[in-house]
Amino acid sequence: MRLNGLPALACIAAVASLWTVTSAAGPGVPPFALVQPALHTIPNTYANAWGDFDNDGDPDLAVSTQRDGIRLFRNDRGVLTSVGAALGLPDTSYELRGLSWGDYDGDGFIDLLAGPIEKDKRSLVFHNDAGRHFTEVAAAIGLTMPNRSARQTNFVDVDNDGDLDVYATDRAGRNQFYRNDDGHFTLIAAGDGISDPRASVGACWFDVDRDGDLDLFLANQAGGADALWRNDGDRFVDIAPALGMTGPHRTEDEGGVGCAVGDYDNDGDFDVFVSNYGRNQLYRNNGDGTFTDVAHALHLDVENHAVSADWGDYDNDGDLDLSIMAYEGAPGSQTPKDALFRNDGAAGFVNVIDQASPLNRGDHGTQFVDYDLDGGLDLSITRGYTTAGGLFLFHNTLSEGARRRSLHVLVLDAAGHMTRFGAEVRLFDTRGRILASRLVAAGGGYNTQQTAPLHVGLKTVQTVKVEVTFIGPHGREVQQIVGVRPDAYEGQTLVIRQAR
């Protein structure tokens, strides 16, 4: 696996038409340019999942569609090339919504799972044959997951035994948890626990109570209350009612759709944003096991029929901004109503795009990812409600000086594989003050799972301590690397491998 990253994207105008985003938002206009117009022709696009399937050091892109199967784009020095059909992925299929990358068999290559929206169809799992071919193996490994209307699917180590299990939300039935037993999966009946019968869409795993196992936040649609399932080892307990995290009273056409976990206030604790059909929520983690909804105070409680969200520091100023995909209009005539909220600290969040912005193009998937590893966080979004093109990739055009204020961190398990979803990364200055936190997320951005290196923006280029907290068989284990100069890793990735 090549881990030294890639040089900054060069002469991109030669391979794609670029144009700089303009908007009525004034001086806060975000620094993005739309690239590779050939990507835009894929209609009815939903999930966009980034992962390095060929282990060449840069993230590749998989996209799910309504009828055109799975599109896989290999990343070659910042240029995406369609290779899915040649590698065995279907170029036609029934409608697929969920995509997730995960190395379920521990062979060092990430595999790809896709879920159907129709309950009479089955899930598909494509085993990655050393980056050279994909073989569909769902039936052979016990992951057809029948009678499910798929949304988020998580490869995640639920039982802390060191391998990746599968948690699958269901928009129209009980959620499903499959335990990984040496590469074969067994459906575990969880009663009224995480097999939550509500119409679940978003599923976010993180160690809420810092006890060494992963807990689950569920965003539930169709009027259902949201849930926060605390992992007690032998059972799960919904603590959302006690914490005031069930969401507001909802009608049948309202509810939670996506969730995104990030440390927006840089205090070392992970907060939860919920994109809603209805007003959005932002639950600030108070650090004592409780949460406070601060969406109104920070100007995020808009009603924009939001589908998904993703955190990312697109301007490298040291705090997390927020991309939201949303839409308005009746079925058959939906139009995008997206937002890009710049984090202005105590002053709250400011939406820096409007309806006329070229960034206002998506209605389903959003992912921040530095796909060319040049230090500027790029943005990929999808639009499902259209017969025209629905995949849009925006390259970040920050100045070279601004791009240098960043660090890429890749977290691997003891075998050197990308399986430690739920791990926590924190950066500290030389005086021990927290600068930023990132979560190795088990899913988000609408039905996707990203296995790209974590991007951390910084206000200044300074020496930092990087701390990783692994969640696994031994509970919470902390590893540290001191004296890290981000500018020494320009165009490269800092790799942190679990000690055991």
Side-chain angles (χ1 to χ4, degrees):
M1 182 176 185
R2 181 163 58 85
L3 298 171
N4 63 331
L6 297 173
L9 191 64
C11 300
I12 192 169
V15 296
S17 295
L18 269 77
W19 42 274
T20 302
V21 169
T22 57
S23 168
V29 172
F32 289 103
L34 187 64
V35 299
Q36 292 198 235
L39 299 177
H40 313 162
T41 61
I42 307 171
N44 304 116
T45 307
Y46 295 101
N48 54 335
W50 292 84
D52 184 8
F53 82 89
D54 52 2
N55 285 0
D56 69 347
D58 53 18
D60 311 293
L61 173 61
V63 176
S64 70
T65 68
Q66 186 177 70
R67 63 183 66 86
D68 295 323
I70 300 171
R71 302 295 182 93
L72 176 63
F73 298 92
R74 187 184 64 227
N75 187 347
D76 298 312
R77 301 177 68 85
V79 179
L80 301 184
T81 303
S82 181
V83 297
L87 295 182
L89 295 178
D91 55 8
T92 60
S93 74
Y94 40 81
E95 183 171 341
L96 298 169
R97 286 287 179 103
L99 286 181
S100 295
W101 290 108
D103 182 8
Y104 74 84
D105 57 352
D107 67 352
F109 288 86
I110 54 173
D111 311 294
L112 184 62
L113 187 152
I117 191 172
E118 300 172 81
K119 291 180 74 70
D120 62 342
K121 302 297 190 298
R122 70 182 186 91
S123 294
L124 305 171
V125 180
F126 297 93
H127 180 261
N128 185 346
D129 303 321
R132 296 187 296 269
H133 191 268
F134 288 89
T135 303
E136 208 287 301
V137 296
I141 65 173
L143 278 181
T144 58
M145 294 184 275
N147 197 35
R148 174 189 177 222
S149 181
R151 295 301 190 271
Q152 191 74 53
T153 309
N154 305 127
F155 279 110
V156 60
D157 186 6
V158 177
D159 52 7
N160 267 6
D161 66 350
D163 55 22
L164 292 178
D165 310 300
V166 168
Y167 183 75
T169 66
D170 192 339
R171 178 63 177 81
R174 282 190 175 273
N175 302 330
Q176 301 173 33
F177 165 51
Y178 290 82
R179 187 184 65 219
N180 188 342
D181 298 313
D182 296 322
H184 190 276
F185 291 82
T186 303
L187 177 62
I188 304 299
D192 290 328
I194 58 173
S195 61
D196 198 314
R198 289 168 285 195
S200 298
V201 178
C204 290
W205 293 85
F206 67 116
D207 189 3
V208 175
D209 51 2
R210 298 194 175 195
D211 68 345
D213 50 29
L214 296 176
D215 311 293
L216 171 65
F217 181 88
L218 280 181
N220 293 319
Q221 275 191 350
D226 296 331
L228 179 56
W229 292 101
R230 187 185 67 214
N231 187 346
D232 289 344
D234 59 347
R235 62 173 185 154
F236 284 82
V237 177
D238 185 7
I239 59 175
L243 295 179
M245 298 179 70
T246 58
H249 175 73
R250 293 163 169 167
T251 62
E252 185 68 19
D253 60 351
E254 295 178 330
V257 188
C259 52
V261 177
D263 182 11
Y264 81 90
D265 53 0
N266 289 339
D267 64 354
D269 301 313
F270 288 103
D271 315 294
V272 182
F273 178 81
V274 188
S275 49
N276 285 323
Y277 291 168
R279 292 192 175 274
N280 303 320
Q281 276 103 36
L282 174 58
Y283 295 108
R284 183 186 67 214
N285 190 330
N286 299 318
D288 59 1
T290 66
F291 291 79
T292 301
D293 185 0
V294 295
H296 178 73
L298 297 181
H299 319 303
L300 288 174
D301 65 334
V302 295
E303 202 300 295
N304 56 350
H305 212 69
V307 175
S308 66
D310 197 30
W311 294 104
D313 185 3
Y314 75 81
D315 50 3
N316 280 358
D317 67 348
D319 50 29
L320 287 172
D321 311 297
L322 186 65
S323 170
I324 300 176
M325 294 294 102
Y327 65 88
E328 59 185 354
S333 59
Q334 300 98 324
T335 58
K337 191 180 180 182
D338 302 334
L340 180 59
F341 283 98
R342 188 186 64 230
N343 187 344
D344 285 347
F349 289 80
V350 176
N351 184 15
V352 296
I353 67 173
D354 59 16
Q355 292 290 92
S357 169
L359 280 170
N360 184 45
R361 293 201 167 208
D363 57 24
H364 276 79
T366 181
Q367 290 278 280
F368 279 116
V369 58
D370 186 3
Y371 71 92
D372 56 351
L373 300 180
D374 70 347
L377 197 57
D378 311 301
L379 179 65
S380 66
I381 64 177
T382 62
R383 185 175 178 187
Y385 296 141
T386 176
T387 56
L391 171 61
F392 305 96
L393 179 60
F394 294 91
H395 179 252
N396 194 319
T397 60
L398 282 173
S399 67
E400 181 179 356
R403 293 198 308 270
R404 294 182 68 213
R405 300 195 313 267
S406 65
L407 181 68
H408 295 104
V409 180
L410 183 64
V411 177
L412 303 177
D413 63 20
H417 302 157
M418 180 70 188
T419 65
R420 294 299 85 202
F421 299 112
E424 303 164 2
V425 176
R426 294 179 176 86
L427 269 61
F428 299 85
D429 66 15
T430 56
R431 299 174 63 182
R433 295 175 299 190
I434 184 93
L435 296 173
S437 310
R438 297 291 185 270
L439 179 73
V440 182
Y446 192 78
N447 300 179
T448 64
Q449 187 157 355
Q450 184 179 131
T451 58
L454 298 174
H455 171 278
V456 185
L458 297 164
K459 289 183 178 179
T460 61
V461 177
Q462 58 180 298
T463 300
V464 298
K465 176 179 70 176
V466 181
E467 178 182 280
V468 178
T469 302
F470 291 92
I471 314 294
H474 307 288
R476 293 175 66 89
E477 293 188 305
V478 176
Q479 293 179 209
Q480 297 179 344
I481 299 180
V482 299
V484 175
R485 286 284 302 181
D487 52 349
Y489 286 88
E490 185 176 357
Q492 302 181 53
T493 297
L494 172 63
V495 180
I496 300 181
R497 184 166 169 171
Q498 193 170 11
R500 61 170 179 170

